[in-house]
Amino acid sequence: MKRLGDRALARALSLTGRHFPTYAAALVVWGLTISFCFNLVMALVFEDVMNASTAGNMSLLLRGVALAVGTFAFGLPLGAFAQYLHAVALYQSKTAVREKLFAKVVGLPLPRVEGVHSGDLISRMTNDLDAAFNLLNGLSDLSAAVFMGVIGFGIMFALSWKLGLIGLALGFSLLGLSVPATRVLRRRGEAVQAALGRMTERLSDLLAGLSVTRMLGREEQVHAAYRAASADVAVRKIAQARAQAAFDAAQGLLGWGQSLGLLALALVLFRNGEILVGAVWAVIRVQGNATWLFQSLGQFLTGIQKGIAGSVRVFGILDESFEREGLPGRLPPTGAEVVSLRGVSFCYTPDVDRRAALCAVSFAVHEGEVVALVGPSGGGKSTLAKLLLGLYPDYAGEIRVCGMD
C-alpha cells in the first residue's frame, strides 16, 4: 500500500509530539492487559473448568475459579489506568497541536493567507484535526487486537499445529480483502474532508456578510451556496458510508466463515482423539480473538483513510513557513535617505494575471520629511505600503529602509 500513503501514518503519529512515549506505553500496556488477562488466562480457565467437569476433578475447578478471580482483580485496574494515560496523552497532544496551528495561521505570510479562504483554514483546524486524532484514538483497539490475536494463535498452535496453520491461512485471506478497499476509502475520505472545508467556507461567508445580505435582500443566493456545499458533503459521506458498509459486510461474512472453519477443525481433532474437550472450549474462546486480529487489521487499514486525509490537511498548515521577521523596531539614522525605492514592480498573481499593481516605481524619503501618497482607488497606494512593511517579499527592484534591504 505504498508505505501507508508515503509515511502518512507516521506523520499522523508525530502529532503526539513529546507525549508519544506516554501514548505508546499506554497502547502497549492496554494491549498486554487485554490479551494476557482476558484472553490467555481466560482460555486456560475455560480449559480447566471443562476438563474438571468431565473428569469430576474439584481441585482443577477451584484452580480455574481462583485464576479467573485473580485475573480480574489485577487486570481491570491496570487496564483502566492504561486507558486513562491514553486519553490524557491524546488530549494534551491535541491541545498542543491546536495551539501550533493557531500560531502558524496568524504567522503565515500574507500572500499565503490571502490565497486561502478563511473557512478552509477553520476546517483544517477543526474537522481535519478531529479526524486525525480519531485515527490515533482508534489505535488502542488495534493494539488490543494485535496482542490478543498473537496470543490466540499461540494457544492454537500449542493445542494443535493444524489449528494454527489453518487459522493463519484463513486470517491472511481475510486481510487480503482490505488491500483494494483501502484505495477506495482513501479517495472517499479525502473527498469528504475537502467537501467539509468548502462547506465551512460557505458558512463563514454566510455569517460574515449576514447584515449586508439582509440589507441587499441577497439571502437566497448566499443561502443557496451554503445549501449546495452542505448537500455535496452529504453525497460524499453517503458514498463513503456505502463503501465502508460493503467492506464491513464482506469482512463480517468471511470472519464468520473463519470462526466456523476453526471450530469444525477442532471438533474433528477432538473426534480423532488429538485434543481433549477442554481444548475445544479453549479454541472456542480464542478463535474469536484470532479472527478479531485480522478483522481489526482490515478495518484499521480502511478506517485510517479518513484520519490520514485529515492529518495531511493539518500538515498542510504546519509545514508552512512563518512570515519573515521584519526589520528591527528602531533603526539608527543613516543620513539623507530613510526610505528609497528604485524600479519597484509588483504583481499579485503573476501565474494567473500578469497585470502589474506597481510598475517601475522609484522615489526616496529623506530624514525629517513627511510624505503623503495620493492617488485614485486601485492606484497601488495600499500595495506600496504593504511592500514597505515587508508583507510581500516577491517583487522586482530595490527597497531600502535606513540603508537596509
Short mmCIF file of all heavy atoms in Angstrom, two decimals, residues 267-327:
data_model
loop_
_atom_site.label_atom_id
_atom_site.label_comp_id
_atom_site.label_asym_id
_atom_site.label_seq_id
_atom_site.Cartn_x
_atom_site.Cartn_y
_atom_site.Cartn_z
N LEU A 267 -13.37 -29.74 16.33
CA LEU A 267 -14.25 -30.88 16.61
C LEU A 267 -13.74 -32.15 15.93
O LEU A 267 -13.83 -33.26 16.49
CB LEU A 267 -15.68 -30.56 16.14
CG LEU A 267 -16.41 -29.48 16.95
CD1 LEU A 267 -17.74 -29.14 16.31
CD2 LEU A 267 -16.62 -29.94 18.39
N VAL A 268 -13.21 -32.02 14.72
CA VAL A 268 -12.64 -33.17 14.02
C VAL A 268 -11.44 -33.71 14.80
O VAL A 268 -11.29 -34.94 14.99
CB VAL A 268 -12.24 -32.79 12.58
CG1 VAL A 268 -11.42 -33.92 11.94
CG2 VAL A 268 -13.48 -32.50 11.75
N LEU A 269 -10.58 -32.81 15.27
CA LEU A 269 -9.42 -33.23 16.05
C LEU A 269 -9.84 -33.90 17.36
O LEU A 269 -9.21 -34.87 17.82
CB LEU A 269 -8.51 -32.03 16.33
CG LEU A 269 -7.83 -31.39 15.11
CD1 LEU A 269 -7.07 -30.14 15.51
CD2 LEU A 269 -6.90 -32.39 14.42
N PHE A 270 -10.91 -33.37 17.98
CA PHE A 270 -11.42 -33.99 19.22
C PHE A 270 -11.96 -35.39 18.94
O PHE A 270 -11.71 -36.34 19.69
CB PHE A 270 -12.51 -33.09 19.81
CG PHE A 270 -13.27 -33.74 20.94
CD1 PHE A 270 -12.66 -33.98 22.17
CD2 PHE A 270 -14.59 -34.13 20.76
CE1 PHE A 270 -13.37 -34.58 23.20
CE2 PHE A 270 -15.30 -34.73 21.78
CZ PHE A 270 -14.68 -34.96 23.00
N ARG A 271 -12.68 -35.54 17.84
CA ARG A 271 -13.23 -36.86 17.49
C ARG A 271 -12.12 -37.87 17.22
O ARG A 271 -12.25 -39.06 17.53
CB ARG A 271 -14.13 -36.72 16.26
CG ARG A 271 -14.90 -38.00 15.92
CD ARG A 271 -15.62 -37.84 14.61
NE ARG A 271 -14.68 -37.66 13.50
CZ ARG A 271 -15.05 -37.46 12.23
NH1 ARG A 271 -16.35 -37.39 11.93
NH2 ARG A 271 -14.14 -37.31 11.29
N ASN A 272 -11.01 -37.39 16.67
CA ASN A 272 -9.89 -38.28 16.38
C ASN A 272 -8.99 -38.50 17.60
O ASN A 272 -7.97 -39.20 17.49
CB ASN A 272 -9.05 -37.72 15.23
CG ASN A 272 -9.82 -37.68 13.92
OD1 ASN A 272 -10.80 -38.42 13.74
ND2 ASN A 272 -9.38 -36.84 13.01
N GLY A 273 -9.37 -37.88 18.72
CA GLY A 273 -8.59 -38.08 19.93
C GLY A 273 -7.30 -37.29 20.01
O GLY A 273 -6.45 -37.56 20.86
N GLU A 274 -7.13 -36.27 19.14
CA GLU A 274 -5.89 -35.49 19.14
C GLU A 274 -5.91 -34.38 20.19
O GLU A 274 -4.85 -33.92 20.62
CB GLU A 274 -5.66 -34.89 17.76
CG GLU A 274 -5.46 -35.94 16.67
CD GLU A 274 -5.15 -35.31 15.32
OE1 GLU A 274 -4.38 -34.34 15.29
OE2 GLU A 274 -5.70 -35.79 14.29
N ILE A 275 -7.09 -33.91 20.62
CA ILE A 275 -7.20 -32.90 21.67
C ILE A 275 -8.34 -33.31 22.60
O ILE A 275 -9.22 -34.10 22.24
CB ILE A 275 -7.46 -31.48 21.10
CG1 ILE A 275 -8.74 -31.46 20.27
CG2 ILE A 275 -6.28 -30.99 20.28
CD1 ILE A 275 -9.11 -30.07 19.77
N LEU A 276 -8.33 -32.73 23.83
CA LEU A 276 -9.37 -33.01 24.81
C LEU A 276 -10.54 -32.04 24.63
O LEU A 276 -10.44 -31.03 23.92
CB LEU A 276 -8.80 -32.88 26.23
CG LEU A 276 -7.66 -33.85 26.59
CD1 LEU A 276 -7.12 -33.54 27.97
CD2 LEU A 276 -8.13 -35.30 26.50
N VAL A 277 -11.63 -32.33 25.35
CA VAL A 277 -12.81 -31.47 25.25
C VAL A 277 -12.51 -30.08 25.77
O VAL A 277 -13.03 -29.08 25.27
CB VAL A 277 -14.01 -32.11 26.01
CG1 VAL A 277 -13.73 -32.18 27.52
CG2 VAL A 277 -15.29 -31.31 25.76
N GLY A 278 -11.66 -29.99 26.80
CA GLY A 278 -11.29 -28.66 27.31
C GLY A 278 -10.58 -27.85 26.25
O GLY A 278 -10.74 -26.62 26.18
N ALA A 279 -9.77 -28.50 25.41
CA ALA A 279 -9.08 -27.79 24.34
C ALA A 279 -10.08 -27.25 23.31
O ALA A 279 -9.87 -26.18 22.74
CB ALA A 279 -8.08 -28.72 23.67
N VAL A 280 -11.17 -27.99 23.08
CA VAL A 280 -12.20 -27.50 22.17
C VAL A 280 -12.80 -26.20 22.69
O VAL A 280 -12.98 -25.23 21.94
CB VAL A 280 -13.30 -28.56 21.96
CG1 VAL A 280 -14.42 -28.01 21.09
CG2 VAL A 280 -12.72 -29.82 21.33
N TRP A 281 -13.08 -26.17 23.99
CA TRP A 281 -13.63 -24.95 24.56
C TRP A 281 -12.61 -23.82 24.56
O TRP A 281 -12.96 -22.65 24.41
CB TRP A 281 -14.13 -25.22 25.99
CG TRP A 281 -15.44 -25.90 26.00
CD1 TRP A 281 -15.70 -27.22 26.19
CD2 TRP A 281 -16.71 -25.27 25.78
NE1 TRP A 281 -17.04 -27.49 26.09
CE2 TRP A 281 -17.70 -26.29 25.85
CE3 TRP A 281 -17.12 -23.97 25.53
CZ2 TRP A 281 -19.05 -26.04 25.68
CZ3 TRP A 281 -18.48 -23.71 25.35
CH2 TRP A 281 -19.42 -24.74 25.43
N ALA A 282 -11.34 -24.16 24.74
CA ALA A 282 -10.29 -23.13 24.64
C ALA A 282 -10.24 -22.55 23.23
O ALA A 282 -10.08 -21.33 23.05
CB ALA A 282 -8.94 -23.74 25.02
N VAL A 283 -10.40 -23.41 22.23
CA VAL A 283 -10.43 -22.93 20.85
C VAL A 283 -11.62 -22.01 20.62
O VAL A 283 -11.52 -20.97 19.97
CB VAL A 283 -10.46 -24.12 19.87
CG1 VAL A 283 -10.74 -23.64 18.44
CG2 VAL A 283 -9.14 -24.87 19.91
N ILE A 284 -12.78 -22.40 21.17
CA ILE A 284 -13.96 -21.54 21.05
C ILE A 284 -13.68 -20.16 21.66
O ILE A 284 -14.11 -19.13 21.13
CB ILE A 284 -15.17 -22.21 21.74
CG1 ILE A 284 -15.58 -23.47 20.97
CG2 ILE A 284 -16.34 -21.24 21.84
CD1 ILE A 284 -16.67 -24.27 21.66
N ARG A 285 -12.93 -20.16 22.75
CA ARG A 285 -12.62 -18.91 23.43
C ARG A 285 -11.66 -18.04 22.62
O ARG A 285 -11.86 -16.83 22.47
CB ARG A 285 -12.01 -19.22 24.81
CG ARG A 285 -11.47 -18.01 25.55
CD ARG A 285 -12.57 -17.06 25.95
NE ARG A 285 -12.01 -15.83 26.50
CZ ARG A 285 -12.73 -14.78 26.86
NH1 ARG A 285 -14.04 -14.80 26.72
NH2 ARG A 285 -12.16 -13.71 27.35
N VAL A 286 -10.59 -18.63 22.07
CA VAL A 286 -9.54 -17.82 21.45
C VAL A 286 -9.73 -17.61 19.95
O VAL A 286 -9.13 -16.69 19.39
CB VAL A 286 -8.15 -18.44 21.71
CG1 VAL A 286 -7.87 -18.54 23.19
CG2 VAL A 286 -8.01 -19.80 21.03
N GLN A 287 -10.53 -18.46 19.30
CA GLN A 287 -10.63 -18.30 17.85
C GLN A 287 -11.28 -16.97 17.48
O GLN A 287 -10.95 -16.38 16.46
CB GLN A 287 -11.40 -19.47 17.23
CG GLN A 287 -12.82 -19.70 17.72
CD GLN A 287 -13.84 -18.81 17.03
OE1 GLN A 287 -13.60 -18.35 15.93
NE2 GLN A 287 -14.94 -18.56 17.69
N GLY A 288 -12.21 -16.51 18.32
CA GLY A 288 -12.80 -15.20 18.06
C GLY A 288 -11.76 -14.09 18.13
O GLY A 288 -11.78 -13.14 17.34
N ASN A 289 -10.83 -14.21 19.07
CA ASN A 289 -9.77 -13.21 19.19
C ASN A 289 -8.80 -13.30 18.01
O ASN A 289 -8.30 -12.27 17.54
CB ASN A 289 -9.01 -13.43 20.50
CG ASN A 289 -9.90 -13.23 21.71
OD1 ASN A 289 -10.84 -12.45 21.68
ND2 ASN A 289 -9.62 -13.96 22.78
N ALA A 290 -8.51 -14.53 17.58
CA ALA A 290 -7.65 -14.69 16.41
C ALA A 290 -8.30 -14.09 15.17
O ALA A 290 -7.65 -13.43 14.35
CB ALA A 290 -7.34 -16.17 16.19
N THR A 291 -9.60 -14.31 15.04
CA THR A 291 -10.33 -13.71 13.92
C THR A 291 -10.35 -12.19 14.04
O THR A 291 -10.21 -11.46 13.05
CB THR A 291 -11.77 -14.24 13.88
OG1 THR A 291 -11.74 -15.67 13.76
CG2 THR A 291 -12.54 -13.66 12.70
N TRP A 292 -10.52 -11.72 15.27
CA TRP A 292 -10.57 -10.27 15.51
C TRP A 292 -9.28 -9.59 15.09
O TRP A 292 -9.29 -8.44 14.64
CB TRP A 292 -10.84 -10.01 17.00
CG TRP A 292 -11.06 -8.57 17.34
CD1 TRP A 292 -11.70 -7.62 16.57
CD2 TRP A 292 -10.66 -7.88 18.53
NE1 TRP A 292 -11.72 -6.41 17.21
CE2 TRP A 292 -11.08 -6.54 18.41
CE3 TRP A 292 -9.99 -8.29 19.68
CZ2 TRP A 292 -10.84 -5.60 19.40
CZ3 TRP A 292 -9.76 -7.35 20.67
CH2 TRP A 292 -10.18 -6.02 20.53
N LEU A 293 -8.14 -10.28 15.22
CA LEU A 293 -6.87 -9.69 14.81
C LEU A 293 -6.93 -9.28 13.34
O LEU A 293 -6.64 -8.12 13.00
CB LEU A 293 -5.74 -10.70 15.03
CG LEU A 293 -4.39 -10.36 14.35
CD1 LEU A 293 -3.84 -9.06 14.87
CD2 LEU A 293 -3.41 -11.50 14.54
N PHE A 294 -7.31 -10.20 12.48
CA PHE A 294 -7.31 -9.89 11.04
C PHE A 294 -8.46 -8.96 10.66
O PHE A 294 -8.32 -8.12 9.77
CB PHE A 294 -7.36 -11.19 10.24
CG PHE A 294 -6.08 -11.95 10.28
CD1 PHE A 294 -5.92 -13.03 11.14
CD2 PHE A 294 -5.00 -11.56 9.51
CE1 PHE A 294 -4.73 -13.73 11.19
CE2 PHE A 294 -3.80 -12.26 9.54
CZ PHE A 294 -3.66 -13.34 10.39
N GLN A 295 -9.59 -9.08 11.35
CA GLN A 295 -10.68 -8.14 11.10
C GLN A 295 -10.26 -6.72 11.50
O GLN A 295 -10.54 -5.76 10.78
CB GLN A 295 -11.92 -8.56 11.86
CG GLN A 295 -12.66 -9.75 11.26
CD GLN A 295 -13.93 -10.08 12.02
OE1 GLN A 295 -14.00 -9.90 13.23
NE2 GLN A 295 -14.92 -10.58 11.32
N SER A 296 -9.61 -6.59 12.64
CA SER A 296 -9.18 -5.27 13.11
C SER A 296 -8.12 -4.68 12.20
O SER A 296 -8.12 -3.47 11.91
CB SER A 296 -8.64 -5.37 14.54
OG SER A 296 -9.66 -5.74 15.43
N LEU A 297 -7.19 -5.53 11.73
CA LEU A 297 -6.19 -5.03 10.79
C LEU A 297 -6.85 -4.53 9.51
O LEU A 297 -6.49 -3.47 8.98
CB LEU A 297 -5.19 -6.14 10.46
CG LEU A 297 -4.14 -6.46 11.53
CD1 LEU A 297 -3.35 -7.70 11.15
CD2 LEU A 297 -3.21 -5.27 11.75
N GLY A 298 -7.82 -5.29 9.02
CA GLY A 298 -8.53 -4.86 7.82
C GLY A 298 -9.31 -3.57 8.04
O GLY A 298 -9.27 -2.65 7.23
N GLN A 299 -10.03 -3.50 9.17
CA GLN A 299 -10.78 -2.29 9.48
C GLN A 299 -9.86 -1.11 9.71
O GLN A 299 -10.18 0.02 9.36
CB GLN A 299 -11.66 -2.54 10.70
CG GLN A 299 -12.82 -3.48 10.44
CD GLN A 299 -13.53 -3.89 11.70
OE1 GLN A 299 -13.12 -3.54 12.81
NE2 GLN A 299 -14.62 -4.64 11.56
N PHE A 300 -8.69 -1.38 10.31
CA PHE A 300 -7.74 -0.30 10.54
C PHE A 300 -7.22 0.25 9.22
O PHE A 300 -7.16 1.46 9.01
CB PHE A 300 -6.58 -0.81 11.39
CG PHE A 300 -5.48 0.20 11.57
CD1 PHE A 300 -5.65 1.28 12.42
CD2 PHE A 300 -4.28 0.06 10.90
CE1 PHE A 300 -4.64 2.21 12.59
CE2 PHE A 300 -3.26 0.99 11.06
CZ PHE A 300 -3.45 2.07 11.91
N LEU A 301 -6.83 -0.65 8.31
CA LEU A 301 -6.28 -0.21 7.03
C LEU A 301 -7.30 0.59 6.23
O LEU A 301 -6.93 1.48 5.47
CB LEU A 301 -5.82 -1.41 6.22
CG LEU A 301 -4.58 -2.14 6.76
CD1 LEU A 301 -4.28 -3.37 5.93
CD2 LEU A 301 -3.38 -1.21 6.80
N THR A 302 -8.57 0.26 6.38
CA THR A 302 -9.59 1.03 5.67
C THR A 302 -10.04 2.24 6.48
O THR A 302 -10.26 3.33 5.94
CB THR A 302 -10.82 0.15 5.37
OG1 THR A 302 -11.30 -0.42 6.58
CG2 THR A 302 -10.44 -0.96 4.41
N GLY A 303 -10.16 2.07 7.81
CA GLY A 303 -10.66 3.15 8.65
C GLY A 303 -9.71 4.31 8.80
O GLY A 303 -10.12 5.44 9.05
N ILE A 304 -8.39 4.07 8.65
CA ILE A 304 -7.43 5.15 8.84
C ILE A 304 -7.44 6.15 7.69
O ILE A 304 -6.86 7.23 7.81
CB ILE A 304 -6.00 4.62 9.00
CG1 ILE A 304 -5.55 3.91 7.72
CG2 ILE A 304 -5.87 3.73 10.21
CD1 ILE A 304 -4.08 3.53 7.73
N GLN A 305 -8.10 5.80 6.59
CA GLN A 305 -8.01 6.66 5.42
C GLN A 305 -8.58 8.06 5.68
O GLN A 305 -8.02 9.06 5.24
CB GLN A 305 -8.72 6.01 4.22
CG GLN A 305 -8.21 4.61 3.88
CD GLN A 305 -6.70 4.55 3.77
OE1 GLN A 305 -6.08 5.41 3.16
NE2 GLN A 305 -6.11 3.52 4.36
N LYS A 306 -9.67 8.13 6.43
CA LYS A 306 -10.22 9.45 6.76
C LYS A 306 -9.27 10.21 7.67
O LYS A 306 -9.04 11.41 7.48
CB LYS A 306 -11.58 9.29 7.46
CG LYS A 306 -12.21 10.61 7.86
CD LYS A 306 -13.55 10.39 8.55
CE LYS A 306 -14.14 11.74 8.99
NZ LYS A 306 -15.44 11.56 9.68
N GLY A 307 -8.68 9.51 8.66
CA GLY A 307 -7.74 10.17 9.55
C GLY A 307 -6.49 10.64 8.84
O GLY A 307 -5.98 11.73 9.11
N ILE A 308 -5.99 9.84 7.89
CA ILE A 308 -4.81 10.24 7.13
C ILE A 308 -5.13 11.46 6.26
O ILE A 308 -4.34 12.39 6.16
CB ILE A 308 -4.31 9.07 6.27
CG1 ILE A 308 -3.60 8.05 7.17
CG2 ILE A 308 -3.37 9.54 5.18
CD1 ILE A 308 -3.09 6.83 6.44
N ALA A 309 -6.32 11.44 5.65
CA ALA A 309 -6.72 12.60 4.83
C ALA A 309 -6.77 13.86 5.69
O ALA A 309 -6.34 14.94 5.27
CB ALA A 309 -8.08 12.34 4.18
N GLY A 310 -7.29 13.74 6.93
CA GLY A 310 -7.33 14.88 7.83
C GLY A 310 -5.95 15.34 8.24
O GLY A 310 -5.65 16.55 8.27
N SER A 311 -5.06 14.38 8.57
CA SER A 311 -3.71 14.75 9.01
C SER A 311 -2.92 15.41 7.88
O SER A 311 -2.13 16.33 8.13
CB SER A 311 -2.96 13.52 9.53
OG SER A 311 -2.69 12.61 8.50
N VAL A 312 -3.14 14.97 6.64
CA VAL A 312 -2.45 15.60 5.51
C VAL A 312 -2.85 17.07 5.39
O VAL A 312 -2.00 17.96 5.16
CB VAL A 312 -2.77 14.84 4.20
CG1 VAL A 312 -2.33 15.65 2.98
CG2 VAL A 312 -2.09 13.48 4.20
N ARG A 313 -4.13 17.36 5.61
CA ARG A 313 -4.58 18.76 5.54
C ARG A 313 -4.08 19.57 6.74
O ARG A 313 -3.81 20.76 6.62
CB ARG A 313 -6.11 18.79 5.45
CG ARG A 313 -6.64 18.42 4.08
CD ARG A 313 -8.15 18.27 4.05
NE ARG A 313 -8.86 19.41 4.54
CZ ARG A 313 -9.15 20.51 3.83
NH1 ARG A 313 -8.73 20.59 2.57
NH2 ARG A 313 -9.82 21.50 4.36
N VAL A 314 -3.96 18.93 7.89
CA VAL A 314 -3.40 19.62 9.06
C VAL A 314 -1.93 19.98 8.80
O VAL A 314 -1.50 21.11 9.06
CB VAL A 314 -3.53 18.75 10.32
CG1 VAL A 314 -2.69 19.33 11.47
CG2 VAL A 314 -4.98 18.65 10.75
N PHE A 315 -1.17 19.02 8.27
CA PHE A 315 0.24 19.29 7.99
C PHE A 315 0.40 20.28 6.84
O PHE A 315 1.47 20.88 6.69
CB PHE A 315 0.98 17.99 7.68
CG PHE A 315 1.42 17.25 8.91
CD1 PHE A 315 0.79 16.08 9.28
CD2 PHE A 315 2.43 17.74 9.71
CE1 PHE A 315 1.18 15.39 10.41
CE2 PHE A 315 2.83 17.07 10.86
CZ PHE A 315 2.20 15.89 11.21
N GLY A 316 -0.66 20.44 6.04
CA GLY A 316 -0.61 21.48 5.02
C GLY A 316 -0.42 22.86 5.62
O GLY A 316 0.13 23.76 4.98
N ILE A 317 -0.87 23.05 6.87
CA ILE A 317 -0.64 24.31 7.58
C ILE A 317 0.66 24.25 8.37
O ILE A 317 1.49 25.17 8.33
CB ILE A 317 -1.81 24.63 8.53
CG1 ILE A 317 -3.08 24.87 7.73
CG2 ILE A 317 -1.50 25.86 9.38
CD1 ILE A 317 -4.29 25.17 8.59
N LEU A 318 0.87 23.14 9.11
CA LEU A 318 2.04 23.06 9.98
C LEU A 318 3.35 23.11 9.19
O LEU A 318 4.37 23.57 9.71
CB LEU A 318 1.99 21.76 10.79
CG LEU A 318 0.87 21.66 11.83
CD1 LEU A 318 0.92 20.31 12.52
CD2 LEU A 318 0.98 22.78 12.87
N ASP A 319 3.33 22.65 7.94
CA ASP A 319 4.54 22.65 7.13
C ASP A 319 4.83 24.00 6.50
O ASP A 319 5.89 24.18 5.88
CB ASP A 319 4.44 21.59 6.02
CG ASP A 319 4.49 20.17 6.58
OD1 ASP A 319 4.94 20.01 7.72
OD2 ASP A 319 4.06 19.24 5.87
N GLU A 320 3.91 24.93 6.59
CA GLU A 320 4.14 26.26 6.03
C GLU A 320 5.20 27.00 6.84
O GLU A 320 5.36 26.78 8.04
CB GLU A 320 2.84 27.08 6.04
CG GLU A 320 1.79 26.60 5.06
CD GLU A 320 2.07 27.07 3.65
OE1 GLU A 320 3.01 27.89 3.47
OE2 GLU A 320 1.37 26.62 2.73
N SER A 321 5.92 27.87 6.18
CA SER A 321 6.94 28.67 6.87
C SER A 321 6.29 29.93 7.43
O SER A 321 5.31 30.45 6.89
CB SER A 321 8.05 29.05 5.90
OG SER A 321 7.52 29.78 4.79
N PHE A 322 6.83 30.39 8.55
CA PHE A 322 6.34 31.63 9.13
C PHE A 322 6.73 32.81 8.25
O PHE A 322 7.68 32.74 7.47
CB PHE A 322 6.92 31.84 10.53
CG PHE A 322 6.25 31.03 11.60
CD1 PHE A 322 6.87 29.92 12.14
CD2 PHE A 322 5.00 31.39 12.07
CE1 PHE A 322 6.26 29.17 13.12
CE2 PHE A 322 4.38 30.64 13.06
CZ PHE A 322 5.00 29.54 13.58
N GLU A 323 5.99 33.89 8.43
CA GLU A 323 6.34 35.12 7.71
C GLU A 323 7.70 35.61 8.18
O GLU A 323 8.03 35.54 9.36
CB GLU A 323 5.29 36.20 7.98
CG GLU A 323 5.50 37.45 7.16
CD GLU A 323 4.31 38.40 7.30
OE1 GLU A 323 3.89 38.65 8.44
OE2 GLU A 323 3.82 38.88 6.28
N ARG A 324 8.51 36.07 7.25
CA ARG A 324 9.84 36.54 7.58
C ARG A 324 9.78 37.71 8.55
O ARG A 324 8.97 38.63 8.39
CB ARG A 324 10.57 36.96 6.30
CG ARG A 324 12.03 37.31 6.52
CD ARG A 324 12.65 37.84 5.24
NE ARG A 324 12.02 39.10 4.86
CZ ARG A 324 12.47 39.88 3.88
NH1 ARG A 324 13.54 39.53 3.20
NH2 ARG A 324 11.85 40.99 3.58
N GLU A 325 10.63 37.66 9.55
CA GLU A 325 10.66 38.77 10.51
C GLU A 325 11.10 40.04 9.81
O GLU A 325 11.98 40.04 8.95
CB GLU A 325 11.63 38.46 11.65
CG GLU A 325 11.16 37.36 12.58
CD GLU A 325 9.93 37.78 13.37
OE1 GLU A 325 9.78 38.98 13.63
OE2 GLU A 325 9.12 36.91 13.72
N GLY A 326 10.50 41.16 10.21
CA GLY A 326 10.82 42.44 9.60
C GLY A 326 12.10 43.03 10.16
O GLY A 326 12.88 42.38 10.84
N LEU A 327 12.32 44.26 9.84
CA LEU A 327 13.50 44.96 10.32
C LEU A 327 13.35 45.27 11.81
O LEU A 327 12.25 45.24 12.34
CB LEU A 327 13.67 46.26 9.53
CG LEU A 327 13.91 46.08 8.02
CD1 LEU A 327 13.89 47.43 7.34
CD2 LEU A 327 15.22 45.36 7.76
#
